[in-house]
């Protein structure tokens, strides 16, 4: 007792003894507590469910360091793996059975696209023709596009496939709006109106001219044997009273033009598509080409008012030549593109030429031809 008190007093006199710190010396009770806590943490981690892979738990070497401190780099790695999240270890198929991360989404997209694309039958196509919503895309066009296409008909009618590929476009894209029905419809209606008016005006001029060239003559004789002949020409008022405007010109123009623009292309499309198995042009392209091919007849119909037969013959022939070149130069290459078309396309082209000749004769003799 004496010595201990003496040592304490000596330590107090010379300051605190650094070797008295309990933190420096090994405490067995603290080591056991830390070992128990680590075991509890391991049990909790093992009880947590993993998504697809149960990884082995790795612990530190308690025999080497009694649970106090890691003895080396391997123990550090083991402790880091204990702290890792279970989500980092997910089992995935490997080897040849592993799907490609790039090809799998593409295959799924193709399957979805195939499922989304409806299979259309003949009856489905007929129902689509009766649905008005299916025609909206063919009327999505403005006045500038119509003017551009009319100008191309006049300036580039002789170029192969220029109007179809560079002006209209087979399908609707960002640059080209594809075939339309708005332009052909109004061009046809305009030509019907012009033919109805100019045919009656041409008949009126011809009738007035024939009245002016004719007249009534009377002869008077006197006693000296001389005979005096007096010719009384008819007046314009009499010609106007005798002339009647013919409304049938308007109806005939509607029949001829609508048949040329809508019935004839539909017949050619059915013939090439169903009978000859040539999928060259769509129905909208056929109607669009024939509709814009009537553009040369618009000014010619107005000029045919001139009461000279040779003028109407020449003007109608020129308009027919421009129209048939526009159609043939844009249709011939798609029809002759394959082996089937090379054998079957020439009769179709001959039918196109013959139809234009018949249309030319109809216009001449139905609207701008008068006997006597």
């Amino acid at each position: 007792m004496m010595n201990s008190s003496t040592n304490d007093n000596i330590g107090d006199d010379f300051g605190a003894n650094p070797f008295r710190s309990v933190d420096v010396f090994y405490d067995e009770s603290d080591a056991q507590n830390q070992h128990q806590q680590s075991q509890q943490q391991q049990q909790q981690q093992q009880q947590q469910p993993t998504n697809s892979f149960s990884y082995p738990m790795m612990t530190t070497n308690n025999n080497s360091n009694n649970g106090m401190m890691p003895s080396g780099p391997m123990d550090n790695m083991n402790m880091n793996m204990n702290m890792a999240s279970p989500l980092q270890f997910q089992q995935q198929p490997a080897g040849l059975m592993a799907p490609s991360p790039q090809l799998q989404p593409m295959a799924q997209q193709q399957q979805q696209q195939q499922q989304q694309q409806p299979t259309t039958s003949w009856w489905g196509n007929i129902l689509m023709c009766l649905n008005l919503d299916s025609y909206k895309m063919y009327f999505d066009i403005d006045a500038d596009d119509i003017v551009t296409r009319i100008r191309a008909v006049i300036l580039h009618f002789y170029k192969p496939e220029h109007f179809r590929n560079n002006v209209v476009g087979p399908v609707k894209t960002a640059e080209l709006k594809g075939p339309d029905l708005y332009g052909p419809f109004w061009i046809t209606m305009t030509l019907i109106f012009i033919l109805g008016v100019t045919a009656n005006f041409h008949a009126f001029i011809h009738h007035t001219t024939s009245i002016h060239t004719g007249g009534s003559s009377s002869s008077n004789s006197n006693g000296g044997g001389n005979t005096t002949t007096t010719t009384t020409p008819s007046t314009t008022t009499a010609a106007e009273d005798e002339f009647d405007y013919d409304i049938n010109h308007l109806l005939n123009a509607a029949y001829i033009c609508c048949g040329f623009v809508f019935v004839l292309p539909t017949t050619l499309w059915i013939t090439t598509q169903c009978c000859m198995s040539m999928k060259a042009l769509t129905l909208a392209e056929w109607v669009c080409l024939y509709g814009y091919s009537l553009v040369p007849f618009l000014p010619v119909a107005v000029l045919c008012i001139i009461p000279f037969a040779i003028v109407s013959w020449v003007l109608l022939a020129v308009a027919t030549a421009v129209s048939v070149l526009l159609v043939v130069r844009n249709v011939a290459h798609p029809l002759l593109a394959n082996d089937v078309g090379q054998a079957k396309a020439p009769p179709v082209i001959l039918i196109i030429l013959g139809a234009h000749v018949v249309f030319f004769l109809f216009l001449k003799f139905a609207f701008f031809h008068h006997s006597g």
Side-chain angles (χ1 to χ4, degrees):
M1 296 295 293
M2 190 90 177
N3 294 329
S4 62
S5 61
T6 305
N7 294 331
D8 294 339
N9 293 331
I10 294 172
D12 293 338
D13 294 337
F14 291 95
N17 190 358
F19 297 99
R20 279 187 168 183
S21 176
V22 295
D23 296 335
V24 176
F25 296 97
Y26 172 76
D27 194 352
E28 185 177 358
S29 61
D30 293 339
Q32 291 178 357
N33 292 332
Q34 292 179 1
H35 180 67
Q36 291 177 359
Q37 291 178 0
S38 63
Q39 289 182 352
Q40 291 177 0
Q41 291 177 0
Q42 292 176 5
Q43 291 177 0
Q44 291 177 0
Q45 291 177 359
Q46 290 177 358
Q47 291 176 1
Q48 290 179 356
T50 57
N51 292 334
S52 60
F53 180 74
S54 60
Y55 58 90
M57 301 299 295
M58 301 183 67
T59 59
T60 59
N61 189 3
N62 295 326
N63 297 325
S64 62
N65 53 12
N66 294 326
M68 285 290 295
M69 298 292 291
S71 61
M74 293 300 296
D75 293 334
N76 288 330
M77 183 181 69
N78 295 337
M79 292 180 66
N80 291 332
M81 292 186 67
N82 290 335
M83 298 174 63
S85 174
L87 297 176
Q88 295 178 358
F89 299 92
Q90 295 183 357
Q91 185 178 4
Q92 294 182 356
L96 297 176
M97 299 299 294
S100 177
Q102 296 179 354
L103 297 178
Q104 186 175 3
M106 293 176 62
Q108 293 178 357
Q109 290 178 1
Q110 291 178 358
Q111 291 178 359
Q112 291 178 359
Q113 290 177 0
Q114 290 177 0
Q115 292 177 359
Q116 291 177 359
Q117 290 178 357
T119 56
T120 57
S121 59
W122 283 100
W123 179 249
N125 292 330
I126 294 173
L127 293 178
M128 289 179 62
C129 293
L130 298 177
N131 188 9
L132 295 179
D133 293 335
S134 60
Y135 296 97
K136 288 182 179 179
M137 60 180 296
Y138 299 114
F139 290 88
D140 186 13
I141 194 169
D142 53 14
D144 294 334
D145 298 324
I146 299 294
V147 172
T148 301
R149 298 183 180 195
I150 292 176
R151 187 184 297 113
V153 171
I154 302 300
L155 300 177
H156 308 288
F157 63 91
Y158 58 91
K159 295 181 179 180
E161 293 190 288
H162 178 81
F163 182 79
R164 178 174 176 264
N165 294 332
N166 300 332
V167 179
V168 176
V171 293
K172 187 175 182 180
T173 59
E175 298 178 356
L176 303 176
K177 293 189 175 181
D180 70 291
L181 300 179
Y182 182 83
F185 176 79
W186 285 113
I187 290 172
T188 305
M189 295 299 108
T190 304
L191 183 61
I192 290 171
F193 177 77
I194 292 176
L195 287 175
V197 173
T198 55
N200 282 288
F201 203 87
H202 182 270
F204 173 76
I205 295 176
H206 180 78
H207 185 74
T208 303
T209 304
S210 63
I211 293 296
H212 277 292
T213 55
S216 60
S217 61
S218 60
S219 57
N220 297 323
S221 59
N222 51 18
N226 295 325
T227 302
T228 305
T229 303
T230 305
T231 302
T232 305
S234 300
T235 61
T236 306
T237 305
E240 292 177 353
D241 293 340
E242 295 177 2
F243 179 77
D244 293 329
Y245 291 95
D246 191 1
I247 194 64
N248 291 324
H249 287 307
L250 191 64
L251 299 177
N252 294 333
Y255 297 148
I256 295 172
C257 293
C258 290
F260 183 78
V261 174
F262 299 106
V263 177
L264 179 61
T266 304
T267 304
L268 292 173
W269 176 74
I270 294 174
T271 303
T272 56
Q273 187 85 5
C274 302
C275 301
M276 298 182 178
S277 300
M278 292 188 300
K279 297 181 180 180
L281 299 172
T282 61
L283 179 59
E285 289 182 288
W286 280 104
V287 176
C288 182
L289 280 174
Y290 269 89
Y292 283 100
S293 68
L294 293 183
V295 171
F297 292 98
L298 296 176
V300 167
V302 177
L303 296 176
C304 284
I305 296 176
I306 301 173
F308 296 102
I310 188 63
V311 174
S312 60
W313 277 105
V314 172
L315 292 177
L316 289 174
V318 172
T320 304
V322 173
S323 177
V324 72
L325 280 176
L326 175 69
V327 176
V328 171
R329 298 291 278 179
N330 287 275
V331 167
H333 182 73
L335 293 177
L336 298 170
N338 49 21
D339 296 335
V340 178
Q342 292 179 359
K344 299 180 179 180
V348 178
I349 296 175
L350 291 177
I351 291 173
I352 294 173
L353 295 173
H356 274 80
V357 173
V358 173
F359 183 70
F360 160 70
L361 295 177
F362 264 110
L363 293 182
K364 174 58 185 173
F365 291 102
F367 303 104
F368 306 109
H369 178 73
H370 301 281
S371 61

